[in-house]
Amino acid sequence: MWSPLQSCVRGVLICALIGCAPPAAERSGQPPLPVAVSSLLAAAPSSLGPAAPTATSTSTAGKAGIELCADCHPDQTDHFNQTGMGRSLYRPDQGPRLEDFSPEKATVTHPVTKARYRAYVDTEGRYFQEETMPGRPGRRVVQALWVIGSGNHTRSYLGKVEGEVVELPMTWYSRRKLWDMSPGYEQRDHFRFARTIKPECIFCHNDLTPVIDGTMSSYQEPMALGISCARCHGDGTKHAAQRLAGKGPPAGQLDPSIVNPARLPPQRQLEVCQQCHLQGEARVLLAGQRWDTYDVSTPLADYVSIYMKKGPRGADFGIASHADRLVQSACSIESGGKLTCTTCHNPHRPETPASRRAACLSCHTVEDCGDKHGAAEGPAECFTCHMRKGGTSDIPHVTFTDHWIRRRPAELTKASVQDVVKPTPFELVDALEAHRTGPDPEAMIRLGLAHHDVWRFQGRAEHLPEAQALLEPALVRPTGRADAYWALGRVRSALGDLRGALEMFHRAATLAPKNAILDSDVAQTMENLGDLKSSEARLQAMVGPAGYRKDYRIGWGNLANNLARQGRVLESEQAYAHADALSPDEAITVQNWGYAALSRREFAEAERHFLEAERRDPVSGSGPFNLATVYLATNRLAPAKAKLDESLKLDPTYAMAYWIRGRVYAEEGQLDLAQRDFERFLEIDRRNPNASLELSRLLLQRGAKKKARDVIEAALASFPGHPELLVLATQAR
């Protein structure tokens, strides 16, 4: 049992727990991660285009599918179906099964969290992926509804969670014939079953399917399956109708009803491929454009900006960097831009060694190579010597061809160390800027959005102030771009300017009304500013009796949190129950439900919810941490410490667990262990002033005034004028 003094301190500890770990705002596209995890991991709503029309769009790009073209062009369509593009996305029962689903091959242990992932096929032939944590209760299973990728290099899998299309955690790597984590899932805070496949992602992997506005990645059914003729030739319905009616232009004249890339200027030919094969650091649409409506009759520069790192290119290359690498080649430069992708690649049929060799010999001769190359002796493949093969910088287990053609590509790796100047990390340039004519008043806005995206989705904090420096002056004059106001709101919020963030969110919402994701940001910012009533009204307009998204679990969850903070217990309980019924597999709703009960000191009810949250999410450290809070509140110190240890074993970066365990150690007199935990707390979460407060108090208690002063001074640089830090600064003199 705790002593009377310990009981008093324990009460302060529990109050701090409830205050520092309230119900967490539920966010679209974000997995139920610990409360302290940065909101950088939250995916941005991407169905919102620059003008953000509220009606569901109708895409024209995919209407002329392969079936429409096959009657007149059977040779092209039959062979196209054998190419990687023709097999880009399909349902599991529509294509050949290349994967090895044997249990020993189809089970992968995550390298950091040690969670276990398994891919399997049931007796009805349906694909699934499962997540478990050895030694812990619970499992998560999501069905794979689509296979994405031709299988030439990889196959990944898409499913649905709460109506949103998501990527699943496991990928089949065809060349090495093994299962492993999907690209980007090797890190601790990966998205598990919550990485939404937004329109800008599906844009390059499939024909365009209309996205439902106000959602992350919900699409009109049925989803388009595979890339079709329309992605390179545009909407062919008018062309087909004219031909079926016996109409068309005179022989030898251009047909305006269809795009024939072979008749386009070289740069426009290249753009047909660049729409997918020039990835860049960020892509930002021009005003009035949407990700689900592109037609190649529009010049790419009039549709999107593609931002690249400024400076020379090094040895690393990505799996979708073909166009950028190609234009570095002497072949491209000396051709005056006439060398395009189709010089070497026939998009309608798979390549052969002879076709690849013929592409090079269309410009060069065998004699150019000389006898020492052996080219005169047989059908040598030129690219094997002049285009380096290697691993890509963004996809594991893949060997790919670098499209930078060089005399001696092996020297590139050596030269890149010495010759390539490392660019300033936040310098981005628009690869298509030179092909855009006329004034461009929104160039600064798009560049600011690019820096925002690199900060938000790649976690590169150096781009945050650059995004602010560009967006603040660019948005002094009104614009119709809701996405720009929304982005600046996120930037201001990240920098601590909540009132400024709310101003930008309101401007965005005026341009994009009835957008549930945006309204959630508005409501949460209002709540963070202490305006619970206005926040509630915003959420009620979304999910209430007259709401426009009554089935939105995140809206219901945030409304429940709001009502709980207002002390309206019955209403909050009803809202939590409704949110949980909408998505009974999500842990964050019952976790928040538990904290609402804990705040009312209903410990048995809180424990019941936390146990259910732990069962639903056996991987996160939040499950045992939540239970530790109940055990501390009910005098169960030993199991509380055990749960804190368990939490940190699952997630050694869980800052709040270090905080609370450090306090427990301090109350037990284990000051060395307490100091270790507070130092780790500060190391992980420097944006939380409590880390500096706890550590400096303990250092002062131990007589280490100089070290305490160093901690306080560093903290005051980040939190100037913080009253508690100022008091401690006086004590440390």
Side-chain angles (χ1 to χ4, degrees), residues 571-617:
E571 292 170 274
S572 71
E573 290 289 296
Q574 292 172 341
Y576 279 126
H578 193 90
D580 199 46
L582 288 170
S583 187
D585 291 325
E586 289 294 336
I588 193 169
T589 303
V590 285
Q591 171 184 296
N592 287 343
W593 205 346
Y595 271 108
L598 183 63
S599 69
R600 301 191 301 270
R601 308 188 72 81
E602 295 177 3
F603 300 124
E605 189 71 3
E607 183 173 2
R608 181 175 70 84
H609 289 309
F610 289 156
L611 284 168
E612 175 60 16
E614 185 180 44
R615 184 195 68 78
R616 294 183 189 182
D617 185 3

Side-chain angles (χ1 to χ4, degrees), residues 196-503:
T196 51
I197 302 299
K198 302 184 291 298
E200 59 263 47
C201 301
I202 207 72
F203 180 86
C204 288
H205 290 280
N206 198 34
D207 257 358
L208 306 180
T209 299
V211 63
I212 299 172
D213 286 334
T215 69
M216 294 288 297
S217 59
S218 292
Y219 300 92
Q220 286 186 14
E221 296 284 358
M223 175 91 80
L225 295 178
I227 291 171
S228 78
C229 312
R231 291 309 300 272
C232 299
H233 297 280
D235 179 10
T237 51
K238 183 177 180 181
H239 171 77
Q242 288 181 351
R243 289 298 186 271
L244 290 172
K247 299 177 181 178
Q253 292 190 15
L254 289 176
D255 184 352
S257 69
I258 196 73
V259 175
N260 184 346
R263 301 207 175 208
L264 294 174
Q267 174 57 32
R268 289 280 288 114
Q269 288 184 40
L270 192 61
E271 289 176 6
V272 173
C273 303
Q274 284 177 329
Q275 63 172 307
C276 294
H277 293 275
L278 181 60
Q279 183 173 349
E281 295 292 308
R283 288 178 156 218
V284 180
L285 293 173
L286 271 68
Q289 303 290 356
R290 294 177 58 95
W291 287 111
D292 55 3
T293 57
Y294 181 59
D295 192 298
V296 292
S297 60
T298 300
L300 193 62
D302 293 342
Y303 175 72
V304 68
S305 287
I306 303 177
Y307 292 94
M308 315 292 294
K309 291 179 182 177
K310 185 178 181 180
R313 302 292 185 254
D316 289 344
F317 61 95
I319 201 165
S321 62
H322 317 72
D324 178 52
R325 304 296 283 186
L326 179 65
V327 298
Q328 314 300 319
S329 307
C331 289
S332 173
I333 296 168
E334 292 178 13
S335 76
K338 293 181 180 179
L339 176 66
T340 67
C341 305
T342 54
T343 303
C344 302
H345 298 284
N346 182 342
H348 295 122
R349 59 178 63 233
E351 299 165 3
T352 65
S355 69
R356 287 191 290 262
R357 184 170 185 265
C360 296
L361 295 180
S362 67
C363 294
H364 302 277
T365 67
V366 171
E367 288 73 24
D368 291 337
C369 298
D371 292 341
K372 65 180 180 179
H373 286 73
E377 299 174 3
E381 294 244 40
C382 309
F383 82 92
T384 59
C385 292
H386 299 287
M387 297 175 72
R388 182 171 62 96
K389 270 187 172 285
T392 62
S393 59
D394 48 2
I395 308 292
H397 306 307
V398 166
T399 300
F400 214 68
T401 300
D402 183 359
H403 279 59
W404 187 344
I405 308 166
R406 295 168 67 88
R407 285 188 175 185
R408 299 178 182 85
E411 295 182 359
L412 175 59
T413 304
K414 300 175 186 176
S416 64
V417 177
Q418 302 167 355
D419 302 338
V420 175
V421 179
K422 194 172 184 180
T424 306
F426 44 72
E427 282 195 89
L428 300 174
V429 292
D430 184 355
L432 301 176
E433 183 179 8
H435 309 293
R436 201 171 288 119
T437 59
D440 191 0
E442 291 195 336
M444 186 180 291
I445 290 178
R446 293 198 306 276
L447 182 57
L449 286 169
H451 284 285
H452 163 272
D453 290 353
V454 175
W455 156 64
R456 189 168 176 81
F457 301 125
Q458 298 183 32
R460 289 158 59 183
E462 67 270 20
H463 289 260
L464 177 61
E466 192 73 5
Q468 183 184 36
L470 288 161
L471 290 173
E472 291 282 7
L475 295 179
V476 168
R477 298 181 65 180
T479 178
R481 296 194 64 131
D483 57 341
Y485 290 123
W486 199 347
L488 181 55
R490 293 193 203 96
V491 168
R492 287 181 173 179
S493 180
L495 295 172
D497 180 11
L498 295 182
R499 294 194 182 280
L502 186 60
E503 177 191 359

